[in-house]
Amino acid sequence: MDNSGQLFPKLPLAEWIEAFVDFLTTYFSALFDTVSTVIEFVTENFVLLMELAPPIVLIILIALLAWWAVNWKLGLFALIGLGLINNLGYWPELVETISLVVISVLISMIIGIPIGIWMSQKGSVQAIITPILDFMQTMPAFVYLIPAVVFFSLGMVPGVVATIIFSMPPTVRLTNLGIRQVDQELIEASNAFGSSTGQRLTKVQIPLAMSTIMAGINQTIMLSLSMVVIASMVGAPGLGTVVYRAVTQVAIGPGFEGGLSLVILAMLLDRITQGANKN
Amino acid sequence: MSTIKVDKLTKIFGRRPKQAVKYLEENKSKDEILELTGMTVGVNQASFEVQDGEVFVIMGLSGSGKSTLVRMLNRLIEPTSGDVWLGDENITEMNKEQLRDMRRKKMSMVFQNFALLPHKTIQKNAEYGLEIQGIDKEERAKKASEALELVGLGGYMDKYPSELSGGMQQRVGLARALANDPEILLMDEAFSALDPLIRKDMQDELMDLQQSVHKTIIFITHDLNEALRIGDRIALMKDGSIVQVGTAEEILMEPANDYVERFVEDVDLAKVLTAGHVMKRAESISVDRGANVALRLMKDSGVSTIYVVDKKKKLLGYVTADEAAKAAKEDKGLSEVLISDIPTVQTDTLLADAFEPMADDKAPLSVVDEDGRLVGIVVRGSVIGALAGNDDVLNGNGGVGING
């Protein structure tokens, strides 16, 4: 590269990042191995658990859940939709995708909700975290797939990690927003009666922010589903693999089947979580 | 028990408040300081004392700093300078823990828009302060129900705030504050969000309640009539400063400056002044005395009516000079000639409510206490004088002080 015409030489940003990743892989490999082992253990067992029951039993259970959480129409939709996916022969992939989404969303919640709460309590924390969230959401996913592979090799784990990075921000943002939106007079009342910070949070702010926090979790679920295909590129198994393979082989039919299965799953998860929020 | 003493309490909104405080001490005005420093004076060196069991009203228009002032008392807003004494404790110097403890046990607050927790039942809302203190379930349920009974909401415990009208919601707010059994109640525009009729009911109920609970109440309002109705004393605020502190009569009859005078000029005095304010000493005679004695007394004091009481000073009626003369001639007792069917009022009866009984009878209106004992009379001249704004006719405290 010729930088002779420039006033300043090009910054070696790429080299710095690589040195940083090298540094992490050298000195934190034990940490990454542990994280990797834990995520792998949890997802594998989750998949095994779901495969214990025959598809038809699970389909009926999910349909009943949809009925209970929303209405009988959604229950019927679940029955027909999941039946179709099973009929097309994608049941094992569906189970793997559900595992990927569920594990990613759970981890996003475990990390994201406390961070959101922390942000809501301190303006300085909010000022630091907000740009990081912007970064996580707008940096193209392919970019952090590379270090994910370096740290966690191929398979479900880098897929889960990439999914978390991309889908966690809404949970953090909406937890923060929900808590900040609680009526100022209620905060004053809570303080005026001598609440500690923890009491104010658990008795007033979090309960009143709950529906906003749930909306954030719903968004996280939707975003994690949209990451399924990208995660398959680093070897995360599931419906994403079906679509990715179809893309590389220009196989229109199977591609559509895989895509349709994802849409059915997305609609079900969306309606069920929204319904649960309303109850 | 403690009284509150507020000493030069100041709040500056801005980045370098110390500078503004210095300007305030140099007697610069709010506008000058805004121009010089860009900082806003919220409250300017407010000083006052509130006695135990007193209803102290802080009154001012919006932007006068009254809400800021009340929030500095429990430090929902941190004062820039000055002190708040609660008994011998300085609230402004309390650490977090002491402050929390003070808020939990000594000072409760009632809010303009009720500030009830929408996700909790009325019962749980009333329990909030006790829950925060970690009081066990049974006891706090008991105390909260007692407080709810006290405000007349015994039957609504399982409802949610949204199911109640505004007036009822504010009763819950009051019950929540009372459940803690605090020494002091801070009420920030507590009735301002209610419509006028409900507001008046709530004022009456608060005063009834105060008879039984005897709290020290600091009540914020922008409504002069509300201030005059419920305040034992009133502090009037303008631009962050307290311009006058005094009883309703003092504010009405001796306004400290033009601002106060303009503020109070439209007030209907008949709805503020009571029979106690304008009554005079009554000439009275025991019923077992003779008619001649009654005549003699009337002649001596230059009146044409004398009030007849029993041994316990209980009012029986009055006797006019003509009747007494007739009785003396016919050798009758006072009890045979006295007119007993007469209207009476009490010392706290508003003049507005005394007009009708006064019109019913030619004789001066008699003022009695709760046991029916005669404490004074109201003559028409004093009433007219008082309504004309002549404070010579007033008794100092509106109570039982009598100037003959």
Side-chain angles (χ1 to χ4, degrees):
Chain A
M1 213 176 293
D2 181 24
N3 288 322
S4 53
Q6 273 179 244
L7 193 55
F8 297 105
K10 176 189 181 290
L11 286 175
L13 189 59
E15 286 81 355
W16 289 346
I17 294 293
E18 274 161 21
F20 180 61
V21 171
D22 280 348
F23 166 79
L24 289 180
T25 37
T26 317
Y27 294 97
F28 289 89
S29 62
L31 176 71
F32 294 130
D33 286 349
T34 315
V35 172
S36 187
T37 316
V38 171
I39 294 179
E40 211 166 299
F41 177 81
V42 176
T43 40
E44 269 173 14
N45 282 288
F46 192 86
V47 172
L48 282 178
L49 191 74
M50 284 189 70
E51 281 173 345
L52 271 183
I56 186 67
V57 175
L58 266 182
I59 290 174
I60 290 173
L61 280 180
I62 294 173
L64 285 175
L65 175 70
W67 185 15
W68 173 79
V70 186
N71 55 25
W72 64 268
K73 286 181 204 161
L74 192 72
L76 188 65
F77 174 77
L79 206 61
I80 295 171
L82 295 175
L84 176 68
I85 298 174
N86 189 32
N87 172 272
L88 294 174
Y90 294 127
W91 188 257
E93 285 82 359
L94 177 72
V95 167
E96 282 161 345
T97 295
I98 291 178
S99 309
L100 175 79
V101 170
V102 168
I103 303 297
S104 304
V105 170
L106 282 179
I107 296 175
S108 292
M109 283 164 64
I110 291 167
I111 301 172
I113 293 176
I115 292 179
I117 292 171
W118 193 29
M119 272 173 89
S120 70
Q121 300 302 302
K122 278 203 157 77
S124 53
V125 177
Q126 179 175 250
I128 294 167
I129 302 275
T130 307
I132 297 178
L133 295 177
D134 295 339
F135 198 85
M136 286 163 72
Q137 277 188 302
T138 48
M139 177 61 86
F142 297 101
V143 175
Y144 49 77
L145 274 184
I146 312 164
V149 171
V150 173
F151 296 142
F152 303 107
S153 77
L154 293 173
M156 190 64 118
V157 179
V160 169
V161 172
T163 305
I164 291 170
I165 292 173
F166 181 68
S167 64
M168 189 169 65
T171 294
V172 181
R173 282 186 210 275
L174 288 173
T175 301
N176 175 36
L177 179 73
I179 291 175
R180 282 179 185 269
Q181 271 180 339
V182 172
D183 186 355
Q184 200 51 41
E185 203 180 35
L186 287 176
I187 307 292
E188 272 196 330
S190 170
N191 287 337
F193 282 95
S195 307
S196 63
T197 309
Q199 286 172 324
R200 192 181 62 222
L201 266 173
T202 54
K203 292 179 196 298
V204 179
Q205 290 176 303
I206 293 178
L208 290 172
M210 212 33 148
S211 68
T212 313
I213 296 175
M214 288 300 288
I217 293 171
N218 173 276
Q219 285 304 300
T220 290
I221 293 175
M222 294 296 104
L223 288 183
S224 69
L225 272 166
S226 74
M227 273 296 281
V228 161
V229 176
I230 292 174
S232 76
M233 295 166 73
V234 292
L239 290 169
T241 318
V242 177
V243 176
Y244 185 51
R245 202 187 302 131
V247 171
T248 54
Q249 296 169 357
V250 203
I252 299 170
F256 183 77
E257 286 179 352
L260 182 66
S261 304
L262 273 174
V263 170
I264 291 169
L265 179 61
M267 285 174 69
L268 267 177
L269 288 177
D270 179 54
R271 303 298 187 275
I272 291 174
T273 48
Q274 276 188 14
N277 189 7
K278 266 179 209 138
N279 294 346
Chain B
M1 291 293 273
S2 15
T3 57
I4 297 174
K5 184 163 177 273
V6 173
D7 188 25
K8 289 197 150 188
L9 200 59
T10 300
K11 179 67 191 181
I12 308 288
F13 296 104
R15 280 198 294 185
R16 288 186 356 270
K18 291 235 164 69
Q19 180 61 47
V21 171
K22 206 175 288 168
Y23 283 138
L24 279 179
E25 280 162 2
E26 290 165 13
N27 276 327
K28 289 210 166 33
S29 77
K30 184 176 173 166
D31 291 338
E32 283 170 333
I33 289 172
L34 183 66
E35 202 168 304
L36 282 168
T37 65
M39 284 182 274
T40 310
V41 179
V43 174
N44 177 5
Q45 304 170 78
S47 299
F48 58 86
E49 273 181 60
V50 182
Q51 304 305 320
D52 216 33
E54 187 178 25
V55 179
F56 188 82
V57 176
I58 299 173
M59 126 111 227
L61 300 177
S62 63
S64 60
K66 56 194 189 302
S67 285
T68 309
L69 177 55
V70 76
R71 278 169 174 70
M72 286 197 286
L73 302 184
N74 62 358
R75 280 175 56 192
L76 284 179
I77 293 178
E78 285 294 336
T80 307
S81 68
D83 298 298
V84 180
W85 291 90
L86 178 59
D88 49 10
E89 292 173 289
N90 190 342
I91 292 178
T92 43
E93 282 175 4
M94 284 180 175
N95 63 25
K96 262 190 175 176
E97 209 144 305
Q98 292 169 319
L99 180 64
R100 204 180 294 150
D101 203 55
M102 188 278 294
R103 286 172 176 175
R104 285 178 182 181
K105 303 201 173 126
K106 296 194 173 162
M107 218 185 256
S108 289
M109 194 160 177
V110 180
F111 292 84
Q112 179 169 13
N113 296 308
F114 326 135
L116 301 179
L117 299 172
H119 62 292
K120 289 184 189 254
T121 60
I122 298 311
Q123 167 83 26
K124 295 283 176 209
N125 264 290
E127 279 179 23
Y128 186 80
L130 303 165
E131 189 185 339
I132 289 299
Q133 293 179 39
I135 289 171
D136 70 75
K137 267 190 182 170
E138 270 167 45
E139 197 186 338
R140 71 187 194 222
K142 188 171 140 261
K143 283 188 175 170
S145 343
E146 282 169 8
L148 285 168
E149 293 286 352
L150 204 58
V151 298
L153 278 182
Y156 293 86
M157 291 169 187
D158 299 324
K159 299 254 188 255
Y160 284 88
S162 59
E163 299 173 273
L164 266 55
S165 68
M168 286 160 104
Q169 289 191 38
Q170 192 57 300
R171 280 166 216 245
V172 181
L174 194 55
R176 175 174 65 180
L178 289 171
N180 278 0
D181 197 22
E183 292 164 22
I184 296 148
L185 274 181
L186 305 178
M187 303 185 72
D188 179 26
E189 300 256 12
F191 303 149
S192 300
L194 306 173
D195 67 55
L197 287 177
I198 308 281
R199 192 186 307 166
K200 197 153 173 286
D201 288 347
M202 291 294 283
Q203 291 163 358
D204 290 342
E205 275 181 50
L206 179 68
M207 288 162 78
D208 287 348
L209 204 59
Q210 172 69 349
Q211 296 293 321
S212 58
V213 296
H214 297 296
K215 302 291 180 196
T216 304
I217 299 178
I218 298 185
F219 194 104
I220 307 295
T221 183
H222 64 263
D223 177 351
L224 182 62
N225 287 315
E226 183 165 78
L228 296 173
R229 270 173 69 89
I230 67 172
D232 292 327
R233 282 189 308 144
I234 299 164
L236 215 98
M237 285 188 81
K238 181 187 182 243
D239 292 342
S241 306
I242 292 182
V243 287
Q244 186 171 6
V245 180
T247 60
E249 301 79 55
E250 282 165 3
I251 296 226
L252 290 174
M253 306 310 250
E254 301 155 34
N257 59 25
D258 287 352
Y259 177 76
V260 182
E261 193 165 349
R262 260 190 299 126
F263 212 96
V264 300
E265 67 189 359
D266 291 331
V267 172
D268 182 355
L269 287 171
K271 287 188 177 155
V272 179
L273 298 176
T274 64
H277 287 127
V278 295
M279 71 185 182
K280 294 181 164 187
R281 194 170 67 86
E283 288 302 329
S284 65
I285 183 169
S286 177
V287 67
D288 53 11
R289 309 298 289 273
N292 281 317
V293 183
L295 271 175
R296 179 64 178 275
L297 274 174
M298 281 188 264
K299 199 177 162 199
D300 284 354
S301 49
V303 293
S304 59
T305 324
I306 194 160
Y307 290 81
V308 183
V309 294
D310 68 10
K311 282 206 186 78
K312 289 176 177 160
K313 287 278 272 176
K314 192 167 181 285
L315 178 68
L316 298 173
Y318 64 73
V319 177
T320 61
D322 289 351
E323 290 291 332
K326 211 192 284 172
K329 212 178 281 168
E330 294 168 13
D331 207 17
K332 282 182 181 168
L334 279 180
S335 60
E336 289 168 84
V337 292
L338 70 86
I339 299 162
S340 59
D341 181 24
I342 59 171
T344 60
V345 293
Q346 298 199 328
T347 49
D348 58 358
T349 305
L350 292 175
L351 290 187
D353 299 325
F355 292 153
E356 201 177 312
M358 280 177 92
D360 288 347
D361 201 331
K362 269 184 283 177
L365 187 58
S366 38
V367 183
V368 296
D369 67 10
E370 281 155 14
D371 299 323
R373 284 183 300 226
L374 183 67
V375 291
I377 53 169
V378 174
V379 299
R380 287 176 173 77
S382 317
V383 172
I384 292 164
L387 293 183
N390 176 4
D391 54 5
D392 292 344
V393 299
L394 292 188
N395 302 309
N397 53 11
V400 287
I402 292 162
N403 49 2

